[in-house]
Amino acid sequence: MLISFSSHSSLSDDVLEKYIRAGRIAAKVREKIKEVVEEGMPLIEICEAAEGMIRELGGEPAFPCNVSVNEVAAHYTSPPNDKRIIPEGSLVKVDIGVHIDGYIADTATTICFNPEYENIVYAAEKALESAIKVMRPGVMISKVSSEIQAAIEQYGFKPIYNLCGHEVGRYQIHAGKSIPNVSHFSIERIRLGGVYAIEPFVTLRNAAGKVEEGFEKHIFRLVKTKGSLKNAEAKNLLRVIEGNFKTLPFAERWLSKIYGNNEVYKRALSELLSSKHIMAYPVFIEVSRKPVAQAEHTVYVGEKDILVLTA
Ligand code: MN
Ligand code: MN
């Protein structure tokens, strides 16, 4: 049997150009935000600074800026009027998404205020580097995962086994195949023309190496537009969500701005959640409450080379 690795073709120049623009903006914002984040700073300032910079540079946020502290691994964004601040000696993951016309670049970095944790951050970066080195059309996804795990363990740490990298699609953060951070059995391969976000999450060796869902949910996403809704406010909010964010994740903060801090949207939001027109993303917390570091780049798999869009 002949196995073809090129059943999917490369992206058109027009689409690739949009990915490249999104990637450049995401990288710029990530580097700028490293200079902005300080101990004692309100998390909401970081979220709004990152999202503001994305728009200034001509992009749109592909999802709310995530600022996840210590054992919170992912999916924390500030709710409206968030009073939380960056604790002293913490490990802060900032995860940024940018889209141009729906084409997404996803990137993350970890800012470290505790010298004890610096090696965790280093291991996450090295694991990301090792993964990118083996990316090419046709390579087994399990190979990429094994590289990530091996690099993390080489530095004496543990990967988070239930958080994965992922393919991105137009207006879709998680499209196509996942890229686990641990070695596993799979016959899936990296495909030519694919755009992948690779994101090793690293924790201490004596940690559980696993995340669980927390109670807090500040990020939401449209799931369906059909299905009956009695409440006029809910109907209206559904139209607002579809018009502004399509199928991309959004923050309650953003709704609060659209509604001019008028809280009428809150009841409509709960109604849309219970009718399953939208879904909520719970925060992910490391089960043993150990600190977590993350590094992430989005890469395009071309015929001849791998383009790190967020480099
Ligand atoms: Mn990300
Ligand atoms: Mn991602």
Side-chain angles (χ1 to χ4, degrees), residues 21-42:
R21 267 165 60 205
R24 277 202 194 120
I25 295 169
K28 245 185 220 164
V29 174
R30 183 194 61 225
E31 292 312 301
K32 282 265 182 202
I33 222 73
K34 282 187 196 171
E35 298 162 20
V36 168
V37 179
E38 282 175 11
E39 291 165 300
M41 178 178 265

Side-chain angles (χ1 to χ4, degrees), residues 7-253:
S7 56
H8 298 269
S9 54
S10 322
L11 294 177
S12 73
D13 288 351
D14 178 48
V15 169
L16 184 55
E17 202 264 332
K18 287 173 179 168
Y19 272 118
I20 290 171
R21 267 165 60 205
R24 277 202 194 120
I25 295 169
K28 245 185 220 164
V29 174
R30 183 194 61 225
E31 292 312 301
K32 282 265 182 202
I33 222 73
K34 282 187 196 171
E35 298 162 20
V36 168
V37 179
E38 282 175 11
E39 291 165 300
M41 178 178 265
L43 269 60
I44 195 166
E45 271 182 33
I46 301 166
C47 296
E48 291 188 339
E51 292 159 9
M53 279 188 251
I54 292 170
R55 295 193 176 103
E56 267 166 43
L57 292 166
E60 279 296 324
F63 51 81
C65 171
N66 287 205
V67 181
S68 306
V69 175
N70 294 338
E71 71 273 17
V72 178
H75 291 177
Y76 184 88
T77 197
S78 281
N81 308 311
D82 192 9
K83 296 288 180 284
R84 248 180 243 194
I85 59 163
I86 298 293
E88 269 178 42
S90 58
L91 201 54
V92 183
K93 295 152 294 287
V94 180
D95 197 329
I96 289 158
V98 177
H99 81 89
I100 300 280
D101 195 24
Y103 299 104
I104 299 161
D106 183 1
T107 187
T109 189
T110 302
I111 302 149
C112 181
F113 297 107
N114 186 336
E116 255 182 68
Y117 297 158
E118 261 159 26
N119 290 337
I120 317 179
V121 179
Y122 188 74
E125 281 163 6
K126 284 294 165 185
L128 178 56
E129 237 174 67
S130 312
I132 293 171
K133 264 187 207 147
V134 298
M135 289 288 283
R136 61 179 173 76
V139 78
M140 305 289 291
I141 288 181
S142 59
K143 166 77 177 161
V144 181
S145 298
S146 303
E147 288 293 320
I148 292 171
Q149 180 172 9
I152 291 170
E153 287 173 353
Q154 188 196 323
Y155 291 99
F157 297 107
K158 190 183 256 185
I160 301 283
Y161 80 80
N162 58 347
L163 286 177
C164 296
H166 50 96
E167 204 170 341
V168 299
R170 195 173 185 203
Y171 290 108
Q172 277 184 294
I173 293 288
H174 291 243
K177 303 288 179 264
S178 292
I179 305 181
N181 290 317
V182 289
S183 151
H184 62 285
F185 176 78
S186 134
I187 56 161
E188 303 295 348
R189 294 173 189 272
I190 296 296
R191 65 179 186 86
L192 175 65
V195 180
Y196 296 89
I198 307 173
E199 49 185 318
F201 284 85
V202 183
T203 187
L204 301 180
R205 181 182 274 182
N206 65 356
K210 180 185 172 187
V211 292
E212 63 185 7
E213 295 183 352
F215 291 112
E216 283 189 79
K217 296 168 184 169
H218 304 302
I219 303 177
F220 306 90
R221 177 172 66 78
L222 180 71
V223 178
K224 61 172 187 184
T225 51
K226 295 201 174 68
S228 69
L229 278 168
K230 280 167 266 156
N231 183 314
E233 276 163 15
K235 273 186 204 165
N236 182 53
L237 179 59
L238 192 63
R239 274 193 296 272
V240 167
I241 290 168
E242 195 188 6
N244 283 279
F245 320 122
K246 296 198 168 65
T247 46
L248 291 172
F250 60 91
E252 190 188 334
R253 267 185 300 115

